[in-house]
Amino acid sequence: MRNIVWMKTLVAASLAVCAAHMLAQADPAAAPMGQGGGMGQGGGLGQGGGQMRGQGRGGFGGGQMGQRVQGTVTAAAAGKLTIQTEAGDSYEVTVTDTARIMKSGQAIQLGDVKPGDSVTAMGQVDATKKTVQAMMVNDVDAATVAKAKENLGKTYITGRITAIDADNLKLTVMRTDNVSQVIAVDDGTSFQRGTRGVQADVVAAGGLPGGFGGGFGGGMRNRQGGGGQAAAPPAPESITLADIKVGDTLMATGAMKAGTFTVLKMGVAIPGVGPGGGPGAGRRGPQDQAAPAAGAPPMPPPPPQ
């Protein structure tokens, strides 16, 4: 009798393991974080699309929409774009009829994308051949890009923190255009965890939605009912200067005071945890360092913590 009971228990446990494995294969969302089901920072969150799941953390990560390459359009032809990244690499982007082409949250045609525009292409990237089979393209016109470049470091700033001088209330930032700049904070500066709550302020200050380069910064959507409904973002968590670490990414607004950009509002995120910060965003480890998107300027790694 004991042997029969033991055999039944073993069979039930085996069936449970098989069912869990089949569920994870059928729905990547069911897989644990860090094993293919984690949400990838790199792919970002699509404008108006569903929630995209990556193959781990990182700007050049996997996901249903693939990897991303960001750069300036140097040539546009039927079904193709040629873009040059900040690093100087030239990528040929093939845009199929089924690809989504977006500008300011609205669908456009490929013919609306012009040389000089900044685009972020998401899809299958071949870094060796420098090609992208794009499933989605986000376009920012040249005039908006020029304005954002002019305002960067004057009315807003985005990038990675490379040094902190807490005694003098100064931070050194490697901006997203690969320029190092010292900025200041004061009693009027507000800090919050995550950058989502600062994005609208950055746009109002002359920056680009989703950061410099106009990445995919749309809202996260649930996967319920196919398209799903937009999930309400959590309220920003207030933090202090002491919570900020070298290696964190930031988006901030402010103004020039005595020749130094002084921050009014700053959102800070650990690379790889997403723009909103979210629960557990304060936990730091090696997995929190995100890989840059293809074509993004190199960022210095944070020191050991």
Side-chain angles (χ1 to χ4, degrees):
M1 176 65 69
R2 290 180 179 178
N3 289 339
I4 294 175
V5 173
W6 182 83
M7 287 296 294
K8 288 182 177 180
T9 303
L10 180 61
V11 169
S14 300
L15 289 174
V17 171
C18 292
H21 179 69
M22 292 174 65
L23 177 61
Q25 287 184 325
D27 183 2
M33 293 290 289
Q35 296 182 2
M39 210 164 76
Q41 161 101 3
L45 301 175
Q47 293 186 349
Q51 181 176 347
M52 292 175 288
R53 302 247 170 198
Q55 296 177 351
R57 305 174 189 268
F60 197 25
Q64 291 182 2
M65 296 304 295
Q67 300 167 316
R68 66 186 174 101
V69 177
Q70 181 178 300
T72 302
V73 178
T74 57
K80 291 185 183 297
L81 297 171
T82 303
I83 64 175
Q84 185 173 26
T85 68
E86 288 280 350
D89 296 323
S90 183
Y91 276 78
E92 183 177 272
V93 181
T94 300
V95 184
T96 66
D97 292 338
T98 57
R100 296 184 63 190
I101 308 171
M102 308 293 293
K103 182 176 181 179
S104 301
Q106 303 295 323
I108 61 172
Q109 300 298 317
L110 183 60
D112 297 323
V113 181
K114 306 296 183 182
D117 289 3
S118 176
V119 302
T120 302
M122 296 188 68
Q124 184 177 350
V125 177
D126 189 324
T128 301
K129 296 181 179 179
K130 298 291 190 296
T131 60
V132 184
Q133 299 291 326
M135 299 176 64
M136 181 177 283
V137 174
N138 190 69
D139 176 59
V140 181
D141 64 80
T144 303
V145 173
K147 180 182 177 182
K149 287 183 177 180
E150 181 181 352
N151 291 327
L152 182 61
K154 298 177 182 177
T155 61
Y156 78 99
I157 192 168
T158 61
R160 175 180 284 184
I161 299 169
T162 58
I164 299 175
D165 182 357
D167 293 334
N168 295 303
L169 301 179
K170 299 288 181 65
L171 295 85
T172 304
V173 177
M174 180 61 72
R175 301 185 332 201
T176 43
D177 60 351
N178 209 27
V179 173
S180 181
Q181 181 174 347
V182 176
I183 64 175
V185 297
D186 58 21
D187 292 340
T189 302
S190 66
F191 304 91
Q192 61 181 242
R193 193 177 308 284
T195 58
R196 183 179 291 116
V198 187
Q199 287 180 357
D201 299 270
V202 167
V203 173
L208 299 179
F212 188 77
F216 296 90
M220 181 171 64
R221 293 179 180 269
N222 296 324
R223 300 184 58 189
Q224 301 173 352
Q229 297 180 353
E237 174 190 353
S238 295
I239 58 175
T240 67
L241 180 60
D243 297 311
I244 300 172
K245 306 297 181 183
V246 169
D248 287 352
T249 59
L250 66 80
M251 297 182 73
T253 59
M256 300 298 294
K257 294 183 180 179
T260 301
F261 178 84
T262 303
V263 177
L264 176 63
K265 184 177 182 181
M266 178 188 297
V268 181
I270 302 171
V273 301
R283 302 182 186 134
R284 298 174 180 272
Q287 74 275 12
D288 290 327
Q289 183 175 345
M299 290 291 194
Q305 306 217 6

